[in-house]
Amino acid sequence: MINYAEKIYGRNREVAEIYKLFAAGRDVSMHGPRRLGKTFLLDRVVDAADGRGFNAIKVELAGCTDTRAVFRELCSRLGSRRSGRQRAADWFKQRLGQVAAPRSDQDGPWYQPFLNLDHETHFERLLQALHEDQENQWALLIDELPIFLKALHDKGPEGLADARNFMNWTSRVRAAYPRVRWLITGSIGIEPLARTGEYMAVLAKYKPFELHPLILDEAIALVKDLASNGHLPNRNEITDAEARAIASAVGWLAPFYLDALAQQLSGTPAEDEAVAVQRVEEAATRLLDPSHSATFGTWEEHLRKHYRDPECGIAFSALAILAEQSQGTRVDTLLAAIGRQDLTGEALRTLLVRLHFDGFLIVSNWDGELPTAAFRNPLLRRWWKRFCPQAQA
Ligand SMILES: Nc1ncnc2c1ncn2[C@@H]1O[C@H](COP(=O)(O)OP(=O)(O)OP(=O)(O)O)[C@@H](O)[C@H]1O
Ligand SMILES: [Mg+2]
């Protein structure tokens, strides 16, 4: 087990910032591109909770399609925690049991009776219990909230109303039980959902927290540790020169891509810069092999799943053009190259902003005369150029 609290890449600064916000009574919303390390950060917030007088639990909503499932997920994560001297499950059972008087001889987990009865009332009572817990302060770290909301939206008008009701409900319980801290996160844009579902006002109450990629020194330390901790198939050492070359090839320093490229490194460790660059280039070539398509395929899938036509088709056209240019392409040139009569400069701009927030692109000089768009992740650009994914799979 790696003790991330001692590692410069362990997101300890971010953990401290989040607890500072919690201590100031703020709830946090952290949204960011795929693979940036959001879930990793939630795990570190959980690890650090004890030392900060908190009980933090991570609740993963990706598989939930209704509020009952959200409640079940929360209960299942709570089960093994402690509140004071008692196991949280027993403590909650006592508090909730006064109302529900569940039979103890039932099969299934401790929270089963509460799911079968009026789960919304119990959900709220549970939050009340967390709020009133004198021994601990609780923090709920909600991962992949937008995926859950999207699953509701996809059910049609009723689902959309459910999403809005759920979000309004969270606002109400946050106000009613203010000792409980909330952190919401997810990899797909929550704002477009909130706009469609008309719950932007709910989001506005969270303090936005921007998670950045690693900085160079952190990236170097991470890849060197991957080797020395035995996480790489062909290496137990990576030199400084190689670590730098990996960071340079990855460009967007998300741990996931640093790891993916380091996994491909082979040959004897090279101190010489030119040799190191060559080794890393060979590793990148292996990483771009079709056998590693899952490493990048999530991005293609993201567009197909979350962008609707005509946006989806235009996004694929734009990315195909941008993939050809490592230095990026001027937005006016891109508009002409896409060549669709029905595409206005304004609509392209809106789409590029979304692709920017979702981590595909960086658009520089937005306010200048000649804004330029480029892939954010140079490896993803190469993958896109090589496999040229189309809107229709
Ligand atoms: N700071 C870090 N140090 C070491 N490993 C990390 C770090 N951050 C992330 N990772 C690893 O990188 C991978 C991707 O991170 P993570 O799952 O947290 O990203 P994410 O932003 O939640 O992605 P997604 O949007 O796809 O859910 C995981 O295997 C994770 O353990
Ligand atoms: Mg995640």
Side-chain angles (χ1 to χ4, degrees):
M1 272 289 283
I2 299 170
N3 182 3
Y4 289 108
E6 292 174 351
K7 300 292 183 188
I8 64 165
Y9 54 84
R11 298 294 199 184
N12 299 300
R13 206 175 45 247
E14 289 83 351
V15 169
E17 279 173 40
I18 286 170
Y19 276 108
K20 207 165 148 193
L21 290 168
F22 282 175
R26 300 299 304 265
D27 293 329
V28 177
S29 121
M30 168 176 74
H31 297 282
R34 301 297 313 261
R35 305 294 193 230
L36 183 55
K38 299 176 297 294
T39 303
F40 177 90
L41 176 55
L42 296 193
D43 288 329
R44 300 292 73 76
V45 171
V46 170
D47 291 348
D50 249 4
R52 298 184 182 259
F54 267 90
N55 237 333
I57 45 172
K58 185 179 82 170
V59 186
E60 155 72 84
L61 301 193
C64 296
T65 52
D66 55 30
T67 52
R68 187 188 300 272
V70 173
F71 180 48
R72 183 195 301 121
E73 168 68 12
L74 175 58
C75 289
S76 73
R77 301 291 179 129
L78 274 172
S80 57
R81 297 264 143 194
R82 303 196 81 77
S83 181
R85 285 174 299 283
Q86 243 176 339
R87 215 163 58 90
D90 297 331
W91 183 70
F92 287 121
K93 258 197 312 200
Q94 260 177 15
R95 307 248 345 187
L96 299 175
Q98 290 162 3
V99 191
R103 287 169 42 198
S104 56
D105 57 352
Q106 233 161 347
D107 290 337
W110 65 271
Y111 47 83
Q112 192 67 37
F114 306 115
L115 294 177
N116 294 341
L117 294 163
D118 174 11
H119 79 274
E120 282 173 19
T121 309
H122 293 303
F123 201 162
E124 182 157 351
R125 278 187 203 282
L126 190 124
L127 289 167
Q128 186 181 353
L130 297 180
H131 166 76
E132 289 171 357
D133 186 352
Q134 293 306 313
E135 303 203 33
N136 291 289
Q137 190 171 359
W138 291 80
L140 304 180
L141 317 177
I142 314 284
D143 203 3
E144 300 297 12
L145 173 66
I147 292 192
F148 167 60
L149 295 171
K150 172 108 187 348
L152 294 181
H153 283 215
D154 286 349
K155 291 183 188 177
E158 241 175 70
L160 201 93
D162 286 346
R164 187 182 313 124
N165 289 340
F166 177 77
M167 290 305 278
N168 287 336
W169 177 83
T170 60
S171 261
R172 192 170 60 69
V173 292
R174 279 182 51 235
Y177 310 115
R179 277 191 80 232
V180 180
R181 295 273 62 81
W182 294 65
L183 188 166
I184 57 173
T185 187
S187 55
I188 67 169
I190 196 167
E191 278 198 24
L193 292 168
R195 223 168 285 123
T196 316
E198 294 170 5
Y199 43 84
M200 285 295 277
V202 175
L203 285 189
K205 294 179 184 155
Y206 289 83
K207 172 88 180 153
F209 177 87
E210 195 178 349
L211 182 63
H212 295 283
L214 299 184
I215 58 174
L216 183 62
D217 285 353
E218 295 167 348
I220 290 173
L222 169 66
V223 294
K224 294 185 78 149
D225 270 10
L226 287 171
S228 59
N229 292 334
H231 289 298
L232 305 183
N234 306 314
R235 281 298 191 86
N236 43 33
E237 188 200 339
I238 284 183
T239 65
D240 275 332
E242 288 171 334
R244 272 174 210 289
I246 289 175
S248 163
V250 169
W252 183 65
L253 300 180
F256 178 84
Y257 289 102
L258 293 163
D259 180 311
L261 186 54
Q263 293 291 335
Q264 300 303 322
L265 199 63
S266 62
T268 48
E271 306 281 355
D272 180 81
E273 203 174 306
V275 180
V277 169
Q278 177 59 29
R279 290 263 155 79
V280 169
E281 179 50 35
E282 287 159 12
T285 305
R286 282 191 285 276
L287 183 60
L288 295 172
D289 189 83
S291 59
H292 299 291
S293 61
T295 309
F296 299 100
T298 38
W299 294 86
E300 175 189 352
E301 187 187 277
H302 180 94
L303 285 186
R304 281 218 186 87
K305 261 193 180 162
H306 304 302
Y307 287 55
R308 295 241 172 89
D309 268 332
E311 254 200 337
C312 182
I314 298 166
F316 272 100
S317 304
L319 290 169
I321 295 161
L322 293 171
E324 297 293 331
Q325 304 291 336
S326 61
Q327 299 306 311
T329 303
R330 270 173 37 189
V331 172
D332 54 349
T333 311
L334 182 62
L335 180 65
I338 294 171
R340 281 176 63 143
Q341 296 286 328
D342 58 344
L343 180 64
T344 63
E346 199 48 42
L348 179 61
R349 191 183 168 101
T350 307
L351 173 65
L352 294 179
V353 168
R354 184 167 177 198
L355 290 168
H356 177 105
F357 277 107
D358 283 356
F360 287 85
L361 304 178
I362 290 189
V363 183
S364 46
N365 206 17
W366 254 139
D367 301 321
E369 298 243 309
L370 302 170
T372 297
F375 265 82
R376 185 188 294 249
N377 177 339
L379 287 175
L380 180 62
R381 182 189 75 78
R382 288 173 64 179
W383 183 85
W384 214 276
K385 181 172 150 83
R386 170 145 187 217
F387 296 103
C388 207
Q390 304 292 320
Q392 306 299 329

